[in-house]
Amino acid sequence: MTDMTMPQMTMNDAISAALAEEMRRDATVLMFGEGVATKRPDLVAEFGGARVRNTPLAEGIIAGTAAGAAATGLRPVIDLLFAPFLCYAMDEIVNSAGKLRYLSGGQFAFPMVVLAGTGGGWGVGAQHNHNVEAWFVHSPGLKVVMPSTPADAKGLLKAAIRDDNPVMFFTDLALGYAPGPVEEGDAVLPLGRAAVRREGADVTLVAYAKSVGTCLEAATRLAERGVQAEVVDLRSLKPLDEETILRSARKTGRVVVVHEASRLCGIGAEVAAIVAEKAFGQLRAPVLRLTGPDAPAASSFPLEAAFAPQPDAVVEAVLRSVGSPAARPVELPAELPVPA
Amino acid sequence: MTDMTMPQMTMNDAISAALAEEMRRDATVLMFGEGVATKRPDLVAEFGGARVRNTPLAEGIIAGTAAGAAATGLRPVIDLLFAPFLCYAMDEIVNSAGKLRYLSGGQFAFPMVVLAGTGGGWGVGAQHNHNVEAWFVHSPGLKVVMPSTPADAKGLLKAAIRDDNPVMFFTDLALGYAPGPVEEGDAVLPLGRAAVRREGADVTLVAYAKSVGTCLEAATRLAERGVQAEVVDLRSLKPLDEETILRSARKTGRVVVVHEASRLCGIGAEVAAIVAEKAFGQLRAPVLRLTGPDAPAASSFPLEAAFAPQPDAVVEAVLRSVGSPAARPVELPAELPVPA
Amino acid sequence: MTVLDPIRALERMTLIRAYEETLVALHGEQRAAGTCTSVGQEASAVGVVSALTGDDLILTNHRSAGHLLARGADPGRLMAEVMGRSGGYCKGKSGSLHISAKELGVVLTSTIVGGELALATGVGLSRAMLGGEGIVVCFFGDGAACQGRFHESLNLAAVWNLPVLYVCENNQWQAFVHRRETMTGEGFTAHAAPYGIPAESVDGNDVEAVHAAAVRAVETVRRTRKPFLLETLTYRLRGHYEPDDQGYVDAGELAHWRARDPIAGLRRRLEERGTLAADAAARIDAAAKRAMEEAVAFAEASPHPDPAELTSDVYA
Amino acid sequence: MTVLDPIRALERMTLIRAYEETLVALHGEQRAAGTCTSVGQEASAVGVVSALTGDDLILTNHRSAGHLLARGADPGRLMAEVMGRSGGYCKGKSGSLHISAKELGVVLTSTIVGGELALATGVGLSRAMLGGEGIVVCFFGDGAACQGRFHESLNLAAVWNLPVLYVCENNQWQAFVHRRETMTGEGFTAHAAPYGIPAESVDGNDVEAVHAAAVRAVETVRRTRKPFLLETLTYRLRGHYEPDDQGYVDAGELAHWRARDPIAGLRRRLEERGTLAADAAARIDAAAKRAMEEAVAFAEASPHPDPAELTSDVYA
Ligand SMILES: Cc1ncc(C[n+]2csc(CCOP(=O)(O)OP(=O)(O)O)c2C)c(N)n1
Ligand SMILES: Cc1ncc(C[n+]2csc(CCOP(=O)(O)OP(=O)(O)O)c2C)c(N)n1
Ligand SMILES: [Mg+2]
Ligand SMILES: [Mg+2]
């Protein structure tokens, strides 16, 4: 179980491995999308052209086909490439896959997975880079996943494929090529469980995808200044692991949520609202959000890089939180370090 | 300015009046959508078939046409009928109208209004009734409006039509036929200003659309029990009037957000997050949200009616908030009434 | 079923008409919600559905009563659904607009106009990959054919060889807009050729003609495992949704189509042929009336869903 | 412009080629971002754009360099945009994928494949309602023609009489998928007829043929104020996006089209006709090279946007 003994794999490779393993395990799993067969010749070779298909360039019918197939015996995985392209498939995902189980009184299930990449790192601009995961968290009947490590990507994708509900599986484009340890074999990671990436008593940093790394980096710097940050990686955005969030929030009394997606009605808002309701009594400072701005992402590299919150900003926010003369003074525990 | 002397008008009529007035004022304003000309013969008679058009049944091209026209000299208002149909127009609204100003470095503006009805009251089920306003609040470049009174509907629609940005104008279907006082003449109501519908010192109820009425009803009942609730009607969901929300929150120290839309990543989450950050020091109780469930809306009348929060639930939540033995005890002001 | 029994067809069409007129009446008395009726289109539904076997799957839309009843749906459970009762096919959650009945092979009904077209290819893909003789029939309107999904669906079905029979019920109206305002041509079959999809247009008010065309189409799809487009030219005799005074409808056009009522027409033809027994028409009407009384009684006796149903069936 | 000056066309095509090859080289040196080049498609861009007047508006997509340069865009400002510099046409916010240049009448570029088709009708509507002689030209690929928006756009343009010239640049590829895998036919003109839209298909690698067809098409749209569909049959000689090793491309097909390179072909034809002066080719190449040196110098000297640009230009 230690990282050293495990094979290293990129997130992209972990996803490929999960796909291959699940297709091997279950003959009803199939995959299609624009260029899927071209880009995954290994899967075509092993499973044949019927189960790994290129499609016409039309996200709506790709998603609708997945929903129709899912309800009638197949378990499709579709690759819609970049998150903004989901805009063409909203009816099929939200109105059909998300609602027709309910509206039919439970007659159908939609075991399907929608892959989409998102986030900065490629300089491609807002029509390829727009973090819209919150839309799907807001919509009923869907589950939403966004991993930060190759191991999680593999385990969560396997769980998503086995789940009987439509799962939106977002990959952060900035993380695709970074290697990480991935356990061999059939490690399925249940949806809905956050991971505490680092323990700490002074402040809880809640994040997902690339922002987990940002928070870990910030936590390292904070530790140098005597502040122990706990880093919670949500992994599943829906179901959301309220318990882990609240356990940490109640312990530290200070919460900063960090993500690349825009602020308004984002995941950070949801986490802040949960904390403000359910950990209110234990809070010692305002709940802070560090997020992308209410703006489209630019292509220009420096602007793109500035879009997502950076470690410096997290450090600064935490120090503000820890050191702020609380409007409503609270008893600081004796051991709480004062920032330098 | 008193209600008695003003003409009474339904929200639907107020919208018609605003459309006619703005089309009269500005020859570049035009309107189109499925059945728009059929349903608005008065506008056709006055402004002609070129400015009031029926369209083919295709929301995507309707919205795209609006965006293209808006960027090149016209000010289109489009009626996309029911909010779930927006799913077919997400690319045009989000990726084009919302982003192409930014991506072009400010070369284009998109003065357009998108009308859509939403919410329960018609028993039509989740493919006609789905409150997705939060999606657009989350998306850059757009404004979002959702009025609760005929007067606001008229004033806000006039402002929306004059705004140089794309404005999503949601009407709550349950409110369309209820009359209310509407000032005569050119009363433009700027976007981004909430209204305090009722003043009160003990708790702030934040709501919009039909939930404003729910909160006012709850406030009446609460007053009978000695609790003075302040009711804030957001009206504009984006820009959101943080100042009015915070002023009230800081005054009362207790906030309950109420809306029909589903909870996760909804407007309530945003309001709660804002309050938990910026009014933290004045909060005397957990911020509560009363919202629709994470479920599609059913057609069956009793289920539909149970979807949106009801006055009873608001009263109960407020009493819980006011009376709760705060986990972190606060000094209650002497005059704070204890609920019966 | 390759030979249509016209008496059975008349019975079924009469039942559909009675069902929808009953709902209209109940709506007038505020005992049922408004619905999108298919009055005037019964021949299209019965003619096509009677050409299918039990293995075939149907997708339909907001105007589905004819398809469901032609497939053998229980009018009581349909009515219960429209009334939002737990005894409905969808436990009352759907209401009239998205009724599916999996046990009858009527799957994934969507009231998003175009939704059924996007789902149909997926159902066709399951049929193609999981084997069997069954084909998929997707009913949609002339309005839906204006959505780009119509083309995306035809194209994918053609490229992937999916056994989908597309049935465009061209009833001349798209809610409150006449088809003429939304297109330059008169119908949709011309769109099939560039996809290499065979197509046929048929008088949708003549159940025997529809049936014959549907048999040919179904047979073609079953044999070739490829799509086919059938267009039934018909007319929506009532408004879009009850209530609707049809004030926007041209009186002459309406009169023209009323004179072509598919039920009266069939009856007349059978009488002319001498194949309708003297009292048969009255018997058929009476049977339909009785069925409606039973249906209403069943539906009104069915309870509303339990409040817990607000959040059940969201996730599997 | 109804008569094409083939020398000017050669100059422009050479400039486009030089521009894109420069970007490829810069990308190799990590001095510029990757781009979608239009190498091999220069005749289509130049042939169509040279048939327009200054009143006409152009919509394009991710593969826009040819359209922009044919329209007279400054290579330096284009390159600055690709490099994300504030001197670019879009202040560096667009990067290569959505470059618009309003001053040149190149408006509302969308890299959502199909996006431009949905916007084009709106631009056409402004043209139709606000008067003037101008028409709208919408460039899109064979992939975009698989999106339902293609049909929705054609249909609305036909029904509303919008002066839109649709130009489908059928380059045989849709990113990593060959056109053959996504459609049953060979091209898209057959889809126009059911909308009553005239259409023509032309050898997209012959700039003179493209120009002649475009002149006819533009003239038709300008006169009738109705849409027209022009398809240019061409080939994407490089990969979808730099870098792309084209490992998935059939070598024979690539060789076939390389032999039909539009620039080499035009040069050869002009030489055969004796209308290309002895040193002209070299002069044209040298001029393009010089222009590129200047462009690179301009772009690299242009600063990155100010951090405040992160949130400027979001709202009007
Ligand atoms: C995407 C979408 N847009 C609009 C509507 C509203 N609507 C319901 S039925 C209808 C007309 C549909 O016309 P057609 O497809 O011809 O079917 P018909 O009603 O004539 O049977 C409309 C506009 C809808 N349900 N879905
Ligand atoms: C809606 C959408 N889907 C997918 C993509 C990714 N993508 C960019 S270009 C491209 C291929 C487009 O093919 P085509 O329309 O033929 O244009 P070409 O690139 O050949 O010029 C794809 C799939 C996109 N940008 N937008
Ligand atoms: Mg119709
Ligand atoms: Mg192409």
Side-chain angles (χ1 to χ4, degrees), chain B residues 175-192:
Chain B
L175 304 178
Y177 294 96
V182 177
E183 214 173 321
E184 299 220 54
D186 198 30
V188 178
L189 191 59
L191 307 184

Side-chain angles (χ1 to χ4, degrees), chain A residues 16-280:
Chain A
S16 299
L19 288 168
E21 287 173 24
E22 292 306 302
M23 292 185 74
R24 217 166 280 143
R25 199 185 58 82
D26 181 347
T28 65
V29 176
L30 78 168
M31 186 173 184
F32 48 93
E34 300 157 16
V36 158
T38 313
K39 287 183 281 183
R40 299 188 179 278
D42 293 1
L43 294 186
V44 178
E46 182 171 354
F47 305 106
R51 288 179 65 196
V52 187
R53 296 172 182 239
N54 282 336
T55 64
L57 206 169
E59 287 75 13
I61 198 68
I62 297 170
T65 301
T72 53
L74 297 174
R75 303 186 82 86
V77 178
I78 57 174
D79 186 353
L80 295 187
L81 306 181
F82 292 87
F85 310 165
L86 294 170
C87 285
Y88 274 150
M90 292 301 282
D91 174 58
E92 289 71 15
I93 295 170
V94 173
N95 288 327
S96 291
K99 296 177 183 171
L100 288 183
R101 174 174 178 74
Y102 184 84
L103 288 173
S104 70
Q107 293 181 76
F108 306 98
F110 295 87
M112 59 188 269
V113 177
V114 179
L115 302 178
T118 186
W122 279 25
V124 281
Q127 288 190 335
H128 283 67
N129 166 14
H130 185 190
N131 286 79
V132 292
E133 53 274 8
W135 288 355
F136 302 96
V137 174
H138 189 56
S139 306
L142 309 174
K143 297 186 177 182
V144 184
V145 172
M146 196 157 170
S148 76
T149 71
D152 282 5
K154 186 174 176 204
L156 290 168
L157 181 52
K158 289 169 76 84
I161 292 172
R162 297 184 196 186
D163 201 287
D164 281 336
N165 299 287
V167 181
M168 308 299 299
F169 195 97
F170 290 100
T171 52
D172 190 324
L173 291 167
L175 304 178
Y177 294 95
V182 177
E183 215 173 321
E184 298 220 56
D186 198 29
V188 178
L189 191 58
L191 307 185
R193 296 205 197 146
V196 176
R197 295 291 177 201
R198 176 186 175 120
E199 304 211 357
D202 302 330
V203 62
T204 300
L205 303 177
V206 180
Y208 59 94
K210 69 160 62 64
S211 298
V212 174
T214 306
C215 288
L216 288 170
E217 168 67 25
T220 304
R221 296 197 209 159
L222 284 164
E224 290 162 11
R225 309 182 70 158
V227 179
Q228 299 307 326
E230 181 144 305
V231 178
V232 175
D233 177 357
L234 295 174
R235 307 199 286 202
S236 270
L237 306 180
K238 187 179 191 178
L240 194 59
D241 185 353
E242 278 200 19
E243 202 182 308
T244 300
I245 297 168
L246 289 172
R247 193 185 312 122
S248 182
R250 289 181 183 132
K251 178 175 84 173
T252 64
R254 293 188 164 83
V255 177
V256 180
V257 202
V258 185
H259 56 62
E260 182 175 22
S262 296
R263 174 184 315 248
L264 303 170
C265 297
I267 310 298
E270 183 58 35
V271 170
I274 289 171
V275 168
E277 175 175 353
K278 299 186 180 164
F280 179 75

Side-chain angles (χ1 to χ4, degrees), chain D residues 141-143 169 171-174:
Chain D
D142 46 297
E169 299 191 292
N171 66 1
Q172 316 302 320
W173 284 98
Q174 306 172 1

Side-chain angles (χ1 to χ4, degrees), chain B residues 34 57 59 80-82 85 88 127-128, chain C residues 36 41 61-63 111-114 116 140-145 147 169 171-176 236 240:
Chain B
E34 300 157 14
L57 207 169
E59 286 76 11
L80 294 187
L81 305 180
F82 292 88
F85 310 164
Y88 274 150
Q127 288 189 336
H128 284 68
Chain C
C36 292
Q41 305 178 207
N61 58 17
H62 55 284
R63 211 174 292 287
T111 188
I112 298 293
V113 175
E116 71 283 29
F140 61 101
D142 46 298
Q147 294 277 18
E169 298 191 294
N171 66 1
Q172 315 303 319
W173 284 97
Q174 305 172 1
F176 308 105
R236 189 193 79 193
H240 166 51

Side-chain angles (χ1 to χ4, degrees), chain B residues 34-35 38-39 54-60 84-85 88 122 124-128 293-300 302-303 306-307, chain C residues 84 92-95 97-98 110-115 143 146-147 149 174 176-177 181-182 241 248 304-306 309-311 314-315:
Chain B
E34 300 157 14
T38 313
K39 288 183 279 183
N54 282 335
T55 63
L57 207 169
E59 286 76 11
F85 310 164
Y88 274 150
W122 279 24
V124 281
Q127 288 189 336
H128 284 68
D294 178 36
S299 293
S300 185
L303 292 182
F307 193 96
Chain C
K93 291 180 174 181
S94 160
L97 292 172
H98 351 59
S110 173
T111 188
I112 298 293
V113 175
C146 292
Q147 294 277 18
R149 286 301 182 275
Q174 305 172 1
F176 308 105
V177 181
E181 279 190 77
T182 71
Y241 193 83
Y248 53 91
H304 281 288
D306 189 273
E309 294 287 344
L310 191 61
T311 53
V314 180
Y315 291 93

Side-chain angles (χ1 to χ4, degrees), chain B residues 25-70:
Chain B
R25 199 184 56 81
D26 180 348
T28 64
V29 177
L30 79 168
M31 185 173 184
F32 49 92
E34 300 157 14
V36 157
T38 313
K39 288 183 279 183
R40 300 190 180 277
D42 294 1
L43 293 187
V44 178
E46 183 171 354
F47 304 106
R51 287 179 64 196
V52 187
R53 296 171 182 239
N54 282 335
T55 63
L57 207 169
E59 286 76 11
I61 198 67
I62 296 171
T65 302

